[in-house]
Amino acid sequence: MEERYEQVRRFLGICGELADGKYNEAGAKISLLLASIARSRELTGLFTAVTRGFDYPKACETYLRFPASHGAAHGAAFLPGDRGDMLAFVFCLLVELDSGSRKLDDFLLRYFYVDGSYTASYARFADRVIRPFGEIVRVCYREILPPAVNGDADVARLIAQERVRLAPFDLPAEEREAAEILLGELSSAAERGDGTAVRALLVGYKYFLRSFNGESGETVPLFSLADDR
């Protein structure tokens, strides 16, 4: 059990470093992350299971999109709504980036473009792809993680689920960015125990969802966080 915990803990630690880290360190961190999976029987089993039968080329056509306008240079990336497909998609993407068959620089400016800046584009990629990827793996293995590592697992789980739930919505780029900002701030407020900020952010997020009829029964547990703070 202790060995299982250490291997998963190391993976989550590297995933956190990748999400919070700098653009110029990303290549090395991606290699470390994939190596941590290869060394873990638990994680190897997980990613073998989710990638079995997964059609990655088709997923790229679906979730890596260019705008319809002729000559447009920048597109947008989305994540599959199914958790297993999301894990498979991000894992395969990281393998491509690590091997060099997909260049990180080109990928960032093509799908996560922010003012021509690699640093800002990487930060957007980290928030929208790496962070939810790590959160879902954390939820998968929460039963073998002690509380000190698992943290506020319920909040992390609900926010990860909400990111995945939003993925299929056809939202404009600015609205998708607004959602990520709200969810990111909500996660930070919950981690530092700021109940006032959590409640305020949830009110704002509720009005955001209502602007495109995005509420559903799945959001009830998320909004119940306001009652617990």
Side-chain angles (χ1 to χ4, degrees):
M1 177 68 76
E2 184 63 22
E3 183 181 357
R4 292 171 65 202
Y5 151 65
E6 285 297 333
Q7 291 169 336
V8 176
R9 183 200 62 80
R10 173 147 181 78
F11 167 86
L12 292 172
I14 298 170
C15 201
E17 292 172 7
L18 183 60
D20 296 330
K22 299 177 180 178
Y23 152 73
N24 59 5
E25 300 172 347
K29 293 293 185 184
I30 289 172
S31 296
L32 284 174
L33 188 70
L34 294 174
S36 74
I37 293 172
R39 286 193 293 266
S40 168
R41 180 181 295 181
E42 292 285 335
L43 293 170
T44 299
L46 171 66
F47 287 104
T48 297
V50 297
T51 55
R52 187 179 294 118
F54 181 72
D55 191 338
Y56 178 62
K58 183 177 180 180
C60 287
E61 293 177 3
T62 302
Y63 300 110
L64 300 180
R65 306 177 189 171
F66 270 93
S69 57
H70 180 70
H74 312 298
F78 304 92
L79 294 178
D82 177 83
R83 287 191 199 180
D85 286 350
M86 185 270 210
L87 291 178
F89 179 66
V90 177
F91 173 76
C92 292
L93 175 61
L94 292 176
V95 170
E96 274 197 324
L97 293 172
D98 185 54
S99 70
S101 60
R102 188 186 292 273
K103 302 299 183 183
L104 180 61
D105 291 359
D106 294 341
F107 176 74
L108 292 175
L109 294 188
R110 180 169 293 190
Y111 297 108
F112 296 90
Y113 182 86
V114 180
D115 298 330
S117 166
Y118 288 122
T119 299
S121 299
Y122 176 74
R124 176 176 286 181
F125 165 70
D127 280 341
R128 295 185 179 180
V129 176
I130 300 300
R131 210 174 299 281
F133 175 71
E135 287 174 353
I136 288 178
V137 174
R138 183 187 297 275
V139 170
C140 288
Y141 289 101
R142 62 182 299 188
E143 75 278 2
I144 68 169
L145 297 174
V149 174
N150 199 40
D152 198 337
D154 286 338
V155 174
R157 173 178 56 81
L158 291 171
I159 292 174
Q161 287 176 348
E162 184 62 12
R163 283 186 168 115
V164 172
R165 190 186 72 86
L166 280 184
F169 284 90
D170 188 18
L171 297 176
E174 60 271 17
E175 290 190 16
R176 195 165 292 278
E177 183 172 3
E180 185 52 47
I181 290 171
L182 284 167
L183 291 173
E185 290 298 320
L186 179 59
S187 179
S188 298
E191 286 179 6
R192 65 177 183 266
D194 188 341
T196 300
V198 167
R199 289 190 294 273
L201 287 162
L202 285 171
V203 169
Y205 188 65
K206 178 173 288 191
Y207 279 102
F208 167 77
L209 291 179
R210 287 179 179 175
S211 71
F212 59 94
N213 295 319
E215 285 186 272
S216 75
E218 296 178 75
T219 59
V220 172
L222 179 67
F223 290 120
S224 72
L225 291 175
D227 301 327
D228 301 330
R229 303 281 156 174

